[in-house]
């Protein structure tokens, strides 16, 4: 968001001295709508901090951030968030391992190899993939990916991290492909032509000229996709299970932060109880992680953008 | 033909082979994604088509799969589309107009821009929690359609603002100069010239944002849309269910019949989304022609 259009540069001295109440009122309305976005952010931050504060009055932050057992609903309860965090990380890392190479390869194909006609077909299809509701991906994981995996790994559980990671990878692939494609296409042709002129092959042009030149946009697309994977809810709730644990196995049931939030809000946890407050503590953690990644991604875009004329 | 030594020729051939292989690999990967979309759609169609009939569209949910339908879910989703549109479009487009046409680009406006970009990256489930705390609890709107619509509007307003700004940016300066030079005020210029020119682009962005809202499940679960609702909502204060919630409810059951019902529900949801996208394209084509 660093590319501001220049101001219109028009001065309105001709209207000075005349107060146009209608104009002022409209401007006030438009301004209020804009300010609403600030209120939204403020509301999110205040709500999460205040409710988490209540939670941290009852549970020490050390137990929360470094505890290895997450048992909020049963006695003796334990509120170590690491198992949930690890669940989210397994899904995110798995999805990234799938989506980053495949997404980048698709972006390279679209921007460097595909004819305009092919591109005009594939890009909308990728956007369609990105527009499919996440609950559909959850269904797909449960009824298609897991049974397929069972052919390869017979002892895989019904709910497992692997199939969820695969569908989340499929889900974020279009984000990487379309955004990276935009970044690669913004690299001016003169750079490619210069490389071809000294005898480089298309592979060499792509890997040593085009991708490095568009790297800021490509990296930003990776981060954006990763932040989407972290916040992804329905696919992991349906497919990855609700068993918070710190095990490495991708073949068993796990629980992510988002799936936990859904689990609590579906169950009849009395509001005001500590178990209910965990909702806000986990959501606050989720919010700040994704916020951090988004801010880094914008920073990369602004800081490392190569500008060509 | 001895421009190059044998070694150099080999080296060159290798480089070209590597290059061709790389191109092939990229093409295969891309076409696989397309193929995957095909598999996904075919798979869901095969699962769900058998259940998709008039009965399915006009029955309430039931614990007997054969009698179950999506009447209440479909009604809830249609209510939501209309309500979200009425809330989010005026607010989102107004904010975009302010930022593009009125803002003085001071420090506060910069803060607002960064903030909107960040808001569009907040996970939808966090909006759900916000909606639960503010609309359901604080304003006492209960688990109603209006709570759902307000929550979803918060979610998509940043998306609408970003898309509308892009559309408004494409309106040429000359149009504004022409209006202003005839003595129009800034708002008159905006309303009668900028907005109509940007309309197709805004509309496309708005409909894409709305279709995102229709597919969202997590915020609705948070604010408490139930998956079993055996009545039609009569007004904004009624409790409700929606298509994605119903799909989630069915998909999370172990029985095969319910899983197939979920597939049938997905087909209806995808049909609604397709219809909205087709409308977006239609509006864009129609208005683009008129403007030229």
């Amino acid at each position: 968001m660093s590319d501001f259009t220049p101001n219109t540069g028009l001065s309105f001295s001709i209207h000075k001295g005349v107060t146009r109440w209608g104009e002022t009122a409209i401007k006030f309305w438009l301004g209020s709508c804009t300010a609403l976005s600030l209120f939204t952010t403020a509301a999110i931050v205040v709500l999460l901090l205040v409710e988490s504060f209540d939670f941290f009055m009852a549970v020490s932050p050390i137990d929360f951030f470094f505890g290895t057992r997450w048992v909020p609903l049963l006695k003796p309860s334990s509120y170590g968030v690491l198992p949930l965090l690890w669940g989210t990380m397994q899904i995110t890392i798995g999805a990234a391992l799938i989506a980053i190479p495949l997404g980048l390869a698709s972006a390279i194909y679209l921007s460097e190899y595909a004819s305009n006609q092919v591109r005009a077909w594939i890009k909308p299809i990728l956007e369609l993939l990105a527009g499919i509701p996440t609950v559909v991906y959850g269904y797909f994981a449960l009824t298609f990916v897991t049974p397929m995996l069972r052919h390869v790994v017979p002892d895989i559980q019904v709910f497992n991290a692997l199939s969820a990671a695969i569908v989340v990878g499929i889900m974020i692939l279009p984000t990487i492909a379309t955004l990276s494609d935009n970044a690669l296409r913004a690299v001016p042709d003169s750079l490619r032509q210069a490389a071809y002129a000294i005898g480089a092959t298309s592979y060499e042009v792509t890997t040593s000229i085009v991708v490095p030149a568009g790297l800021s946009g490509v990296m930003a697309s990776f981060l954006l996709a990763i932040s989407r994977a972290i916040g992804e809810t329905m696919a992991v709730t349906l497919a990855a299970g609700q068993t918070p644990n710190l095990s490495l196995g991708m073949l068993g049931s796990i629980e992510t932060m988002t799936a936990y939030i859904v689990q609590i809000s579906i169950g009849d946890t009395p509001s005001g109880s500590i178990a209910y407050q965990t909702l806000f503590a986990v959501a606050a953690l989720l919010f700040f992680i994704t916020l951090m990644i988004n801010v880094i991604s914008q920073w990369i875009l602004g800081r490392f953008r190569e500008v060509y004329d | 033909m001895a421009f190059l030594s044998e070694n150099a020729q080999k080296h060159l051939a290798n480089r070209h082979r590597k290059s061709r292989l790389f191109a092939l690999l990229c093409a295969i990967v891309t076409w696989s994604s397309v193929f995957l979309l095909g598999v996904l759609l075919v798979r869901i169609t095969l699962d769900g088509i058998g259940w998709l009939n008039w009965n399915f569209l006009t029955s309430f949910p039931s614990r007997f799969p054969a009698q179950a339908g999506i009447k209440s879910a479909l009604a809830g989703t249609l209510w939501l589309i209309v309500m979200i549109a009425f809330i989010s479009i005026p607010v989102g487009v107004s904010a975009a107009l302010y930022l593009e046409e009125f803002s003085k680009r001071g420090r506060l406006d910069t803060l607002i821009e960064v903030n909107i970009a960040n808001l569009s990256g907040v996970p939808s489930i966090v909006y759900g929690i916000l909606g639960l705390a503010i609309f359901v609890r604080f304003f006492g709107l209960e688990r109603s359609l209006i709570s759902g619509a307000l929550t979803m509007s918060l979610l998509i307003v940043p998306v609408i603002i970003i898309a509308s700004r892009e559309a408004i940016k494409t309106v040429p300066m000359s149009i504004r100069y022409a209006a202003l030079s005839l003595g129009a005020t800034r708002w008159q210029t905006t309303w009668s010239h900028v907005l109509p020119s940007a309309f197709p682009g805004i509309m496309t962005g708005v409909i894409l944002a709305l279709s995102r809202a229709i597919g969202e499940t997590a915020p609705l679960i948070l604010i408490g849309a139930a998956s079993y609702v055996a009545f039609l909502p009569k007004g904004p204060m009624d409790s409700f269910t929606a298509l994605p919630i119903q799909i989630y409810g069915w998909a999370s059951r172990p029985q095969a019949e319910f899983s197939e019902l979920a597939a049938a529900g997905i087909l209806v949801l995808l049909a609604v989304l397709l219809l909205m996208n087709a409308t977006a394209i239609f509006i864009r084509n129609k208005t683009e022609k008129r403007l030229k």
Side-chain angles (χ1 to χ4, degrees):
Chain A
M1 291 307 294
S2 55
D3 50 332
F4 303 134
T5 51
N7 199 346
T8 55
L10 298 166
S11 70
F12 290 90
S13 51
I14 199 164
H15 292 307
K16 270 189 187 149
V18 186
T19 313
R20 292 172 176 273
W21 292 111
E23 194 90 357
T24 312
I26 285 167
K27 198 176 165 188
F28 181 74
W29 156 256
L30 298 180
S32 322
C33 289
T34 314
L36 201 67
S37 68
L38 286 180
F39 284 125
T40 310
T41 308
I44 293 176
V45 173
V46 169
L47 172 75
L48 293 180
L49 286 185
V50 167
E51 295 281 346
S52 311
F53 185 77
D54 283 350
F55 171 75
F56 284 124
M57 292 308 282
V59 177
S60 114
I62 293 175
D63 290 346
F64 180 73
F65 286 111
F66 300 104
T68 53
R69 277 181 68 246
W70 183 257
V71 195
L73 300 175
L74 300 172
K75 302 270 168 190
S77 46
S78 166
Y79 301 98
V81 82
L82 284 179
L84 294 183
L85 204 57
W86 176 235
T88 296
M89 271 176 70
Q90 283 188 69
I91 300 290
T92 307
I93 292 171
L97 283 178
I98 293 167
I100 286 180
L102 299 188
L104 185 56
S106 302
I108 289 172
Y109 176 73
L110 284 174
S111 92
E112 304 302 309
Y113 294 108
S115 67
N116 280 339
Q117 237 172 339
V118 171
R119 213 181 109 83
W121 271 98
I122 291 190
K123 223 163 173 197
I125 288 179
L126 285 178
E127 274 155 15
L128 210 64
L129 257 178
I132 291 178
T134 62
V135 68
V136 178
Y137 283 103
Y139 173 85
F140 193 58
L142 211 53
T143 62
F144 185 71
V145 178
T146 300
M148 286 278 272
L149 290 173
R150 186 157 288 154
H151 290 301
V152 189
V153 199
D155 56 347
I156 197 166
Q157 292 178 21
V158 175
F159 299 109
N160 61 81
L162 186 57
S163 72
I166 290 174
V167 292
V168 173
I170 297 172
M171 219 172 76
I172 61 175
L173 192 153
T175 309
I176 294 178
T178 51
L179 291 181
S180 294
D181 171 51
N182 293 345
L184 296 182
R185 282 174 72 85
V187 176
D189 255 347
S190 56
L191 291 188
R192 293 185 185 88
Q193 283 155 2
Y196 280 124
I198 56 168
T201 64
S202 67
Y203 168 74
E204 288 154 358
V205 171
T206 305
T207 53
S208 35
I209 307 289
V210 180
V211 173
L215 200 61
S216 69
V218 170
M219 291 303 288
S221 84
F222 291 171
L223 287 177
L224 204 70
I226 285 173
S227 127
R228 271 196 66 192
I230 292 173
E232 184 357 77
T233 308
M234 293 324 293
V236 293
T237 306
L238 269 172
Q242 303 189 326
T243 325
N245 63 60
L246 269 174
S247 71
L248 186 64
M250 296 282 283
L251 303 179
S253 173
I254 58 154
E255 182 162 50
T256 65
M257 294 189 280
T258 49
Y260 173 74
I261 295 174
V262 169
Q263 184 197 348
I264 285 296
S265 66
I266 283 181
D268 39 18
T269 316
S271 74
S273 65
I274 292 186
Y276 183 76
Q277 284 167 347
T278 57
L279 200 72
F280 295 94
V282 172
L285 186 60
L286 181 70
F287 175 74
F288 285 110
I289 291 174
T290 51
L291 182 70
M292 220 163 61
I293 294 178
N294 289 337
V295 168
I296 293 174
S297 136
Q298 282 169 36
W299 179 75
I300 287 179
L301 265 184
R303 174 71 179 72
F304 295 104
R305 171 169 283 165
E306 306 261 346
V307 182
Y308 303 100
D309 282 319
Chain B
M1 281 306 291
F3 290 122
L4 295 166
S5 68
E6 204 166 296
N7 247 348
Q9 277 184 17
K10 239 183 215 161
H11 181 63
L12 187 63
N14 268 337
R15 277 172 60 205
H16 278 289
R17 198 174 305 127
K18 200 165 158 191
S19 183
R20 277 196 301 274
L21 214 69
F22 178 70
L24 187 70
L25 194 76
C26 289
I28 290 174
V29 164
T30 312
W31 285 104
S32 310
S33 329
V34 176
F35 176 71
L36 207 65
L37 179 72
V39 170
L40 183 87
L41 292 179
V42 167
R43 175 74 206 191
I44 288 171
T45 311
L46 287 181
D47 283 354
I49 197 83
W51 294 84
L52 203 58
N53 52 35
W54 190 244
N55 215 15
F56 180 71
L57 293 177
T58 56
S59 304
F60 288 112
S62 159
R63 39 198 184 92
F64 306 108
Q67 295 166 17
I70 51 162
K71 188 177 182 179
S72 48
L74 197 55
T77 287
L78 295 178
W79 268 96
L80 278 179
I81 297 181
V82 175
M83 291 172 68
I84 295 170
F86 271 105
I87 299 166
S88 63
I89 296 175
V91 174
V93 175
S94 296
L97 285 176
Y98 177 82
L99 288 170
E100 287 301 317
E101 304 292 321
F102 290 85
S103 145
K104 296 210 172 58
R105 311 218 176 275
R107 204 168 285 166
L108 185 66
D109 296 313
T110 312
L111 176 72
I112 289 176
E113 304 208 22
V114 172
N115 176 50
I116 289 172
N118 278 324
L119 272 181
S120 69
V122 173
S124 62
I125 195 162
V126 173
Y127 283 99
I129 290 190
L130 184 66
L132 174 70
I134 292 189
F135 302 126
V136 178
R137 295 267 152 76
F138 185 73
F139 286 121
L141 296 173
E142 300 297 319
R143 300 167 180 280
S144 60
L145 274 168
I146 186 77
S147 295
L150 286 168
T151 307
M152 286 299 199
S153 297
L154 285 184
L155 175 73
I156 65 165
V157 160
V159 186
I160 293 182
I161 295 177
I162 291 170
S164 303
R165 288 188 66 187
E166 290 304 317
I168 294 167
K169 270 182 197 161
T170 62
V171 176
M173 247 10 229
S174 56
I175 289 186
R176 294 185 187 88
Y177 291 143
L180 292 167
S181 67
L182 292 175
T185 63
R186 200 168 257 218
W187 172 247
Q188 285 165 342
T189 308
T190 304
W191 178 253
S192 336
H193 298 273
V194 176
L195 202 53
S197 309
F199 185 76
I202 292 179
M203 221 40 214
T204 314
V206 161
I207 294 183
L208 289 180
L210 277 178
S211 42
R212 183 173 162 206
I214 296 316
E216 278 292 351
T217 320
L220 292 183
I221 289 184
L222 259 287
I223 67 139
S227 69
Y228 180 79
V229 173
F231 56 87
L232 291 183
K234 294 203 176 54
M237 292 307 292
D238 284 354
S239 60
F240 70 106
T241 186
L243 278 175
I245 303 280
Q246 187 68 64
I247 292 166
Y248 170 69
W250 279 331
S252 53
R253 285 174 171 233
Q255 300 94 333
E257 287 94 341
F258 281 111
S259 151
E260 285 167 18
L261 278 175
I266 288 172
L267 287 177
V268 176
L269 179 63
L270 292 181
V272 172
L273 290 177
L274 204 65
L275 203 70
M276 290 178 65
N277 284 305
T279 318
I281 293 166
F282 179 75
I283 291 176
R284 189 170 51 189
N285 291 346
K286 192 118 181 156
T287 42
E288 256 172 6
K289 264 178 214 140
R290 201 191 62 205
L291 280 170
K292 276 171 191 162

